[in-house]
């Protein structure tokens, strides 16, 4: 009986060992990415190595020294079963011999011994039954695990990622998920690549950005895109994002321009990886409890993001999301960061999206009024917000803190020669959550599919809007009698500009050498305004400061307009004397422009024109009045004519001043 129990026990242990071997083999197959054949045959290299003869030896069909000519068609599972059967045969033969010897001894023992053996056999059978049940349960669990593994493998085979990063099923349809984050295997970066990138960043200046970007582009050509992007991110983070001190603003600006150039020349992956790393670090620092005022990590991250935004790598949505997140926290460190953002790009944000800027101003004021702390930081932040709202640039630049507002025009001019094929950097759109959600956030599968459907509609709308604008501009040109092509282009640039700085740049880019045409168009348009607009005065002042030939052109253009005053309407005459007075006050032209008027042949139109100008001059303070009248030569007949006109036609209150 003991031999029988041993045989059963060995059989169960053999089954358990087989199941364990099957699981190990499946794991190894999965790691080695070996796929079974559909027909269940062994691979050809199994026979090429001479291992196919083992199967015939196990079956007993061929002697160990012989080889089979027929090609066997057995699978891995058949091979394991045959090896297990041979082991069981050997075990059974050994156990039968032992049981024969034991049976002779058992026949000579008494009945009492038999009773005891029967009782013990019953107990052993109960134990064996429990072992069998356990093994059956383990076999079922093993089969379940194998089924789950097979289902997972089939799902992985059905879902594949294409070259654009979209996950597709076996039919080719895009599978939408909550996040398109692709977990890349962590591997150490090539130290040689990191060392080369760090050396180039250490030598960067505003003058050699083109050279440094070209060298990094060569590194991209000889190494993988992901590895070089991560190396750039690592070197920039180590160079700029420091905890002890604030990085120099000039260095941050130069590094951000380099990022913009690589973003444009190499691909959106460069700017996307840098922004993802910065926003992720920013979020970790804001969520951590240790948010000390002495740490400058957040200051450096915010400064770099603002400079990248000024280079047009990202749109304003990310900066506004950061402002709203800081406003929700509203502690002392967050107030400092809000002030920093407003001082860097507050006016740029106001220009790009004034509606969101207005909502943020209302939100921050409500937050400040509800807060119990009356600190100087909150007061200074509200003053900065007021300056941004009123477009008061001097309020911020007059501060002695050392921080200077980012000049977008200077940044664009510095990057102009470095960009390949484009005059502007390709802007990628994304908010705070989108940048933080994925390391490939700039690839939006759902948005791209929707944009493809709406491309035709948006293009048609753009064409219609452009056509409407062209029709309106053509009608205005006809009304103003601006018939030449050059004047039409100058007029279009003038009325579509954002401010006088933008208008001056557009006009100079169109006709830099034709100052007379620019001045004539500006004066002609300003005289036809229903209400006098100081925009044209500031524009002419800026042009005169740019080049002296504009000052001369303004002087003679005003003389021509004054001499043709009889043909002007009342509205145009009012705008003309206001324009002349403002230009005298801004020191763009002199009072000698009035010499064109013949005082001996004075009529009512010229008399009213002179009264308005001289009354306005005499109403000014003493310093401005002396500045205007000092331009008249002392021994000139024009001085005597002006004095006589003031005594005769101006009110008695101004006679003493004259």
């Amino acid at each position: 009986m003991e031999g029988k129990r041993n045989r059963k026990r060995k059989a169960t242990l053999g089954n358990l060992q087989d199941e364990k071997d099957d699981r190990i083999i499946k794991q190894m197959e999965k790691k080695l990415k070996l796929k079974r054949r559909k027909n269940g045959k062994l691979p050809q290299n199994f026979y090429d190595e001479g291992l196919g003869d083992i199967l015939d030896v196990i079956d007993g069909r061929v002697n160990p020294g012989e080889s089979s000519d027929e090609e066997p068609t057995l699978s891995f599972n058949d091979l394991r079963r045959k090896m297990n059967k041979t082991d069981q045969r050997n075990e059974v033969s050994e156990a039968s011999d032992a049981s024969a010897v034991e049976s002779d001894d058992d026949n000579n023992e008494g009945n009492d011994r038999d009773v005891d053996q029967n009782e013990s056999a019953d107990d052993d059978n109960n134990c064996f039954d429990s072992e069998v049940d356990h093994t059956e349960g383990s076999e079922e669990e093993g089969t379940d695990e194998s089924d789950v593994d097979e289902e997972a493998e089939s799902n992985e085979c059905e879902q594949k990622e294409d070259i654009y990063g979209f996950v597709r099923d076996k039919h080719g349809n895009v599978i939408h998920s909550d996040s398109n984050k692709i977990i890349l295997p962590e591997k150490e970066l090539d130290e040689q690549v990191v060392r080369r990138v760090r050396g180039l960043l250490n030598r960067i200046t505003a003058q050699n950005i083109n050279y440094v970007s070209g060298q990094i582009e060569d590194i991209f050509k000889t190494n993988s895109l992901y590895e070089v992007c991560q190396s750039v991110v690592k070197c920039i983070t180590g160079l700029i994002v420091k905890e002890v001190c604030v990085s120099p603003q000039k260095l941050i600006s130069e590094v951000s321009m380099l990022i913009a150039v690589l973003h444009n020349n190499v691909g959106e992956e460069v700017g996307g990886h840098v922004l993802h790393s910065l926003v992720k670090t920013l979020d970790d620092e804001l969520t951590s409890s240790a948010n000390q005022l002495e740490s400058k990590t957040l200051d450096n991250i915010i400064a770099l993001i603002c400079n990248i935004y000024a280079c047009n790598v990202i749109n304003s949505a990310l900066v506004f999301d950061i402002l709203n997140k800081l406003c929700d926290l509203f502690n002392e460190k967050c107030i400092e960061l809000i002030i920093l953002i407003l001082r860097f790009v507050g006016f740029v944000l106001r220009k790009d999206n004034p509606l969101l800027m207005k909502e943020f101003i209302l939100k921050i004021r409500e937050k400040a009024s509800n807060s119990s702390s009356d600190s100087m930081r909150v007061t200074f932040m509200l003053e900065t917000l007021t300056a941004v709202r009123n477009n008061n640039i001097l309020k911020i630049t007059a501060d002695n803190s050392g921080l200077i507002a980012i000049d977008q025009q200077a940044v664009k001019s510095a990057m102009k020669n470095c960009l390949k094929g484009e005059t502007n950097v390709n802007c990628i759109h994304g908010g705070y959550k989108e940048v933080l959600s994925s390391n490939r956030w700039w690839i939006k599968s759902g948005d791209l599919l929707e944009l493809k459907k709406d491309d035709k509609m948006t293009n048609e709308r753009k064409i219609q809007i452009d056509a409407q604008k062209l029709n309106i501009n053509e009608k205005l040109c006809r009304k103003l009698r601006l018939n030449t092509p050059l004047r039409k282009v100058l007029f279009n640039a003038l009325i579509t500009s954002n401010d006088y700085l933008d208008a001056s740049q557009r006009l100079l880019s169109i006709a830099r050498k034709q100052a007379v045409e620019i001045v004539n168009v500006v004066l002609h348009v300003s005289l036809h305004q229903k209400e006098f607009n100081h925009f044209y005065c500031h524009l002419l002042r800026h042009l005169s400061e740019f080049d002296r030939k504009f000052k001369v052109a303004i002087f003679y253009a005003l003389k021509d307009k004054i001499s043709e005053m009889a043909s002007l309407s009342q509205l145009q005459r009012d705008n003309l004397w206001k324009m002349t007075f403002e230009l005298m006050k801004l020191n763009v032209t002199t009072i000698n422009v009035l010499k064109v008027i013949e005082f001996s042949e004075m009529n009512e139109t010229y008399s009213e024109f002179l009264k308005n100008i001289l009354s306005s001059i005499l109403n000014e303070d003493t310093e401005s009045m002396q500045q205007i009248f000092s331009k008249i030569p002392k021994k000139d007949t024009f001085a005597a004519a002006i004095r006589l006109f003031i005594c005769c036609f101006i009110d008695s209150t101004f006679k003493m001043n004259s």
Side-chain angles (χ1 to χ4, degrees):
M1 295 298 291
E2 290 181 0
K4 188 177 182 180
R5 287 197 298 271
N6 291 331
R7 288 196 300 274
K8 290 182 179 180
R9 196 174 288 112
K10 287 182 180 180
T12 55
L13 292 175
N15 292 330
L16 289 173
Q17 187 65 31
D18 291 342
E19 294 295 335
K20 185 177 180 182
D21 292 341
D22 289 338
R23 285 196 294 270
I24 293 172
I25 290 171
K26 283 184 180 180
Q27 291 177 1
M28 297 302 293
E29 287 176 350
K30 192 181 295 183
K31 289 180 180 179
L32 295 173
K33 298 181 180 180
L34 293 176
K35 294 184 179 178
R36 300 177 184 176
R37 297 187 177 183
K38 294 182 179 179
N39 54 11
K41 292 183 179 181
L42 292 170
Q44 185 63 34
N45 57 2
F46 188 84
Y47 302 104
D48 294 340
E49 297 293 335
L51 301 175
D53 298 335
I54 298 175
L55 302 178
D56 296 331
V57 173
I58 293 172
D59 288 335
R61 292 178 297 180
V62 184
N63 292 330
E66 298 177 358
S67 61
S68 61
D69 298 333
E70 297 180 357
E71 182 180 354
T73 59
L74 295 175
S75 62
F76 286 103
N77 294 328
D78 297 333
L79 174 61
R80 288 198 297 270
R81 290 195 197 98
K82 290 181 180 296
M83 294 179 70
N84 292 332
K85 286 180 181 179
T86 53
D87 294 337
Q88 289 176 3
R89 289 196 201 105
N90 295 330
E91 291 174 358
V92 169
S93 60
E94 291 176 0
S96 61
D97 296 336
S99 61
V101 176
E102 289 177 358
S103 60
D104 295 336
D105 296 335
D106 292 337
N107 292 328
N108 297 327
E109 294 181 355
N111 293 328
D112 297 333
R113 177 84 175 269
D114 293 334
V115 173
D116 296 335
Q117 287 178 351
N118 290 330
E119 292 176 356
S120 62
D122 294 335
D123 296 335
D124 292 335
N125 288 330
N126 293 330
C127 296
F128 177 72
D129 293 336
S130 63
E131 291 177 358
V132 171
D133 294 337
H134 179 69
T135 55
E136 290 177 355
S138 64
E139 290 176 358
E140 292 178 357
E141 291 176 359
T143 55
D144 293 338
E145 290 178 358
S146 63
D147 294 338
V148 171
D149 293 337
E150 290 177 357
E151 290 178 1
E153 288 178 359
S154 63
N155 291 331
E156 289 176 359
C157 295
E158 290 178 357
Q159 297 181 5
K160 292 183 179 180
E161 182 186 353
D162 60 7
I163 60 174
Y164 302 104
F166 302 148
V167 179
R168 299 181 181 270
D169 57 8
K170 61 181 179 180
H171 301 293
N173 300 321
V174 177
I175 299 174
H176 299 281
S177 58
D178 295 336
S179 67
N180 58 348
K181 186 172 183 178
I182 300 172
I183 301 174
L184 297 172
E186 294 183 0
K187 60 178 183 179
E188 295 183 359
L189 299 175
D190 189 357
E191 287 297 328
Q192 187 176 2
V193 175
V194 175
R195 198 179 301 114
R196 288 177 64 188
V197 173
R198 187 183 293 116
L200 291 169
L201 286 175
N202 289 335
R203 297 197 300 270
I204 189 172
T205 59
Q207 289 74 24
N208 66 354
I209 289 178
N210 196 2
Y211 169 75
V212 173
S213 62
Q215 293 294 317
I216 296 179
E217 287 174 24
D218 293 338
I219 299 175
F220 273 103
K221 294 176 184 178
T222 56
N223 296 277
S224 68
L225 181 64
Y226 176 77
E227 186 176 10
V228 182
C229 285
Q230 291 300 317
S231 301
V232 171
V233 171
K234 181 179 179 181
C235 295
I236 289 175
T237 306
L239 183 65
I240 302 297
V241 183
K242 299 177 181 178
E243 186 179 359
V244 182
C245 61
V246 178
S247 299
Q249 188 176 351
K250 183 181 178 183
L251 177 62
I252 297 174
S253 178
E254 291 166 352
V255 171
S256 61
M257 285 191 284
L258 177 64
I259 294 170
V261 171
L262 294 174
H263 174 86
N264 187 78
N265 296 345
V266 176
E268 295 179 350
E269 291 83 2
V270 181
H273 279 291
V274 173
L275 284 170
H276 176 71
S277 176
L278 291 175
V279 173
K280 187 177 180 181
T281 309
L282 176 67
D283 188 72
D284 294 340
E285 290 289 331
L286 290 176
T287 52
S288 62
S289 59
N291 194 4
Q292 300 177 356
L293 286 171
E294 291 78 10
S295 178
K296 300 300 179 182
T297 305
L298 289 171
D299 300 62
N300 292 322
I301 293 173
I302 290 294
L304 187 54
I305 291 175
C306 290
N307 278 270
I308 292 173
Y309 162 65
C311 295
N312 201 32
V313 175
I314 188 70
N315 64 339
S316 60
L318 175 62
V319 186
F320 276 114
D321 288 346
I322 293 173
L323 285 171
N324 290 324
K325 187 173 182 64
L326 295 174
C327 182
D328 294 336
L329 296 174
F330 207 74
N331 51 27
E332 291 186 355
K333 187 65 180 179
C334 292
I335 292 171
E336 279 190 2
L337 297 176
I338 291 172
I339 295 171
L340 191 67
I341 294 174
L342 293 176
R343 292 179 68 83
F344 276 137
V345 291
F347 297 102
V348 182
L349 292 171
R350 179 181 179 272
K351 178 182 175 182
D352 287 351
N353 202 331
L355 182 61
L356 286 179
M357 194 65 181
K358 180 182 178 182
E359 293 177 357
F360 173 72
I361 290 173
L362 295 175
K363 182 179 180 180
I364 201 73
R365 282 184 172 177
E366 182 181 359
K367 199 82 174 179
S369 61
N370 294 333
S371 64
S372 58
S373 61
D374 296 334
S375 63
M376 293 298 294
R377 288 188 178 89
V378 177
T379 306
F380 187 66
M381 179 188 64
L382 295 176
E383 290 178 357
T384 309
L385 274 175
T386 306
V388 171
R389 186 195 65 180
N390 297 331
N391 201 19
N392 189 1
I393 301 176
L394 297 175
K395 172 78 175 176
I396 293 180
T397 55
D399 190 15
N400 295 326
S401 61
L403 298 176
I404 304 172
I406 300 172
D407 188 2
Q408 266 192 321
Q409 300 298 331
V411 171
K412 288 181 181 179
S413 61
M415 294 190 301
K416 181 187 288 187
N417 298 328
C418 304
L419 302 178
K420 293 182 179 179
E422 297 287 341
T423 56
N424 294 321
V425 180
N426 298 324
C427 180
I428 47 179
H429 301 271
Y432 186 85
K433 291 182 179 179
E434 294 176 359
V435 178
L436 193 62
S437 62
S438 171
N439 55 359
R440 291 192 179 214
W441 60 273
W442 61 91
I443 302 175
K444 306 180 184 69
S445 58
D447 294 346
L448 287 175
L449 293 173
E450 292 176 1
L451 286 173
K452 287 179 181 178
K453 295 179 182 178
D454 298 336
D455 271 345
K456 294 182 179 179
M457 296 295 293
T458 53
N459 291 333
E460 290 176 0
R461 288 174 187 170
K462 287 180 180 179
I463 292 170
Q464 291 176 358
I465 292 169
D466 293 339
Q468 290 176 359
K469 287 182 179 179
L470 288 174
N471 292 332
I472 293 171
N473 294 344
E474 286 290 335
K475 290 179 181 179
L476 289 174
C477 287
R478 289 196 200 104
K479 286 183 179 180
L480 296 174
R481 297 181 181 178
L482 299 172
N483 300 322
T484 62
L486 178 59
R487 292 194 174 189
K488 288 181 181 180
V489 175
L490 292 173
F491 173 72
N492 189 18
L494 185 63
I495 63 175
T496 57
S497 58
N498 298 320
D499 52 13
Y500 73 93
L501 295 174
D502 187 23
S504 63
Q505 287 186 352
R506 292 188 182 187
L507 294 174
L508 290 172
S509 63
I510 295 169
R512 183 187 292 268
K513 295 182 179 180
Q514 294 174 326
V516 177
E517 287 291 333
I518 293 175
V519 172
N520 285 332
V521 170
V522 173
L523 276 178
H524 189 71
V525 174
S526 66
L527 294 182
H528 285 79
Q529 297 289 321
K530 292 182 179 180
E531 293 182 1
F532 178 70
N533 194 347
H534 288 81
F535 163 79
Y536 301 99
C537 298
H538 291 288
L539 174 59
L540 291 174
R541 178 183 62 82
H542 186 74
L543 290 172
S544 64
E545 291 175 352
F546 176 75
D547 197 340
R548 187 180 177 278
K549 63 183 179 182
F550 286 97
K551 200 167 188 177
V552 177
I554 292 168
F555 182 82
Y556 286 102
L558 284 174
K559 287 181 71 174
D560 294 339
K561 292 294 181 183
I562 294 171
S563 62
E564 297 172 357
M565 195 178 298
S567 61
L568 300 179
S569 63
Q570 183 62 40
L571 176 64
Q572 293 174 1
R573 287 198 293 268
D574 292 341
N575 287 333
L576 181 59
W577 77 256
K578 290 176 182 177
M579 173 68 76
T580 307
F581 167 68
E582 289 294 332
L583 292 177
M584 290 179 187
K585 186 178 174 182
L586 294 173
N587 200 20
V588 177
T589 189
T590 62
I591 196 173
N592 294 319
V593 74
L594 301 177
K595 284 184 177 181
V596 73
I597 300 174
E598 292 290 340
F599 287 88
S600 59
E601 299 176 0
M602 184 72 64
N603 56 17
E604 186 177 355
T605 304
Y606 286 109
S607 176
E608 184 181 359
F609 179 77
L610 283 173
K611 281 181 184 179
N612 292 326
I613 291 179
L614 293 175
S615 299
S616 301
I617 294 172
L618 294 171
N619 280 324
E620 291 293 321
D621 56 350
T622 306
E623 184 178 356
S624 300
M625 190 170 54
Q626 287 178 355
Q627 178 187 353
I628 295 171
F629 284 120
S630 63
K631 305 295 181 181
I632 304 174
K634 294 182 180 179
K635 296 182 180 181
D636 196 350
T637 55
F638 178 67
I642 290 291
R643 190 180 296 109
L644 181 62
F645 185 86
I646 292 173
C647 294
C648 295
F649 296 98
I650 304 299
D651 293 339
S652 59
T653 54
F654 301 117
K655 289 181 180 180
M656 295 301 295
N657 292 332
S658 63

